Amino acid sequence: GRFDEALEASERGLAIRRDLGHDREVAAGLGRAATILTRLQRYAEADARYTEALAAARDAGDLELQGTFLQHQGILHGAQGRFDRAVALYQQALEFFRRADDAGGEMQTADLLANAEAQRGQLDVAEAWYGRARELAKRLNDRRQLAANAHNVGILHQNRAEQTKDPGEREAWLRRAVDSIRESLAIVLEMNDRPGAAKSHFQLGVLHRMLGELDEAERNARESLAICESLRLPDVYMDYGNLAKIARARGDTAAAAEWQAKHDTKVEEIGRLRRGGGEDGAVPDDLVKAILGLSLVQI
């Protein structure tokens, strides 16, 4: 969490690599600095550093590294709501991963591209890219990606349900969403991925609440809550919020107020930790977690 010191050390290492003429390591060092700048929420500087890293990777002739930097830069823009720019960057990254014959990089980028397209309302395009990501995940037997893909498709179906005014069509999309999230849950349970299971149970709680199935909604919400509390996951505030909504749907105003208070307290705590800029136990930004989790090569 000592990011200023990390950046200083990264810059010293980068200077040494430049002196040694290690082009590929210079590119990697620039990418590492960009990730640290992202954590410091110096997003404009991080973006510029990724652009510099991309040029260095091009000079080194490393196709995979170029794809990785474009992918990470896309995550950076997507997290700031610049989905058109994110889509363009992901499309460029895809081309580099294809040229490098890197099916894993292509798979992850197709999923990210689908997310960005969904965020800008292009649901049919998003579904097609999720299909491509799933195809590659099956070929690579990547169970983690298959779980993520099924979860994302479930969210896509939920978005479609929220956009229709026809009650029958809305329910049909919600049922499809439930099936997709259950598929994701089955995979993460096989992998003993408890945070992944919490994520699935939370989403099932939301979907069953939307369907008016409040007992099933609460059962899943409490499953997610139990995991998040036992692992001390910061996303527990989402469970508190969902349980507050379920209680309101039941007409239990006292329980709703109690859950809402827990939600608001946790949100304030997380905000306080983030504003602390590196206190022990601070919660990383979602975009940083995405960048760190998707590193395809050591940067």
Side-chain angles (χ1 to χ4, degrees), residues 227-242:
I227 296 171
C228 287
E229 287 188 334
S230 67
L231 298 179
R232 301 180 66 188
L233 299 178
D235 288 348
V236 70
Y237 75 92
M238 297 171 65
D239 297 307
Y240 296 147
N242 195 26

Side-chain angles (χ1 to χ4, degrees), residues 144-173:
R144 187 171 299 279
Q145 184 63 43
L146 283 170
N149 183 268
H151 189 94
N152 289 338
V153 169
I155 300 295
L156 185 72
H157 292 333
Q158 178 183 331
N159 289 341
R160 290 191 187 278
E162 290 170 337
Q163 290 184 6
T164 182
K165 295 180 180 179
D166 181 89
E169 187 178 352
R170 178 180 183 275
E171 180 174 352
W173 280 118

Side-chain angles (χ1 to χ4, degrees), residues 23-25 27 55-62 65-66:
D23 293 341
R24 198 271 182 192
E25 286 75 15
R58 187 183 303 119
D59 291 342
D62 192 316
L65 203 55
Q66 289 177 74

Side-chain angles (χ1 to χ4, degrees), residues 86-288:
V87 165
L89 290 164
Y90 291 145
Q91 289 172 337
Q92 293 177 57
L94 278 173
E95 182 58 31
F96 280 106
F97 287 131
R98 286 168 181 157
R99 287 169 58 191
D101 196 25
D102 182 352
E106 183 183 351
M107 171 191 69
Q108 291 177 338
T109 307
D111 197 72
L112 287 165
L113 181 54
N115 290 343
E117 291 287 15
Q119 288 285 350
R120 64 178 188 169
Q122 301 297 319
L123 302 188
D124 290 339
V125 178
E127 189 161 9
W129 281 115
Y130 282 136
R132 176 58 177 161
R134 183 180 181 88
E135 175 188 330
L136 289 165
K138 284 184 174 180
R139 185 197 306 174
L140 297 170
N141 194 29
D142 189 325
R143 302 292 289 166
R144 187 171 299 279
Q145 184 63 43
L146 283 170
N149 183 268
H151 189 94
N152 289 338
V153 169
I155 300 295
L156 185 72
H157 292 333
Q158 178 183 331
N159 289 341
R160 290 191 187 278
E162 290 170 337
Q163 290 184 6
T164 182
K165 295 180 180 179
D166 181 89
E169 187 178 352
R170 178 180 183 275
E171 180 174 352
W173 280 118
L174 288 174
R175 296 292 177 197
R176 290 182 65 180
V178 166
D179 289 344
S180 196
I181 300 296
R182 283 178 176 165
E183 178 186 343
S184 179
L185 177 60
I187 296 171
V188 296
L189 288 175
E190 281 178 15
M191 299 170 60
N192 197 30
D193 177 0
R194 295 184 69 205
K199 184 178 176 183
S200 294
H201 279 300
F202 167 80
Q203 199 60 40
L204 286 170
V206 170
L207 292 168
H208 284 293
R209 173 172 54 79
M210 293 175 69
L211 284 162
E213 299 166 351
L214 299 184
D215 287 345
E216 190 65 10
E218 184 168 353
R219 185 185 70 78
N220 278 283
R222 288 186 179 277
E223 288 274 6
S224 178
L225 176 64
I227 296 171
C228 287
E229 287 188 334
S230 67
L231 298 179
R232 301 180 66 188
L233 299 178
D235 288 348
V236 70
Y237 75 92
M238 297 171 65
D239 297 307
Y240 296 147
N242 195 26
L243 284 161
K245 290 177 182 178
I246 293 168
R248 287 192 199 100
R250 293 189 187 279
D252 189 341
T253 56
E258 184 178 343
W259 287 119
Q260 190 64 48
K262 284 177 173 287
H263 168 274
D264 295 346
T265 299
K266 191 64 179 179
V267 168
E268 174 57 30
E269 177 188 334
I270 291 172
R272 193 165 56 249
L273 288 170
R274 282 179 171 164
R275 289 191 297 272
E279 297 177 32
D280 186 38
V283 183
D285 296 328
D286 289 343
L287 71 113
V288 180

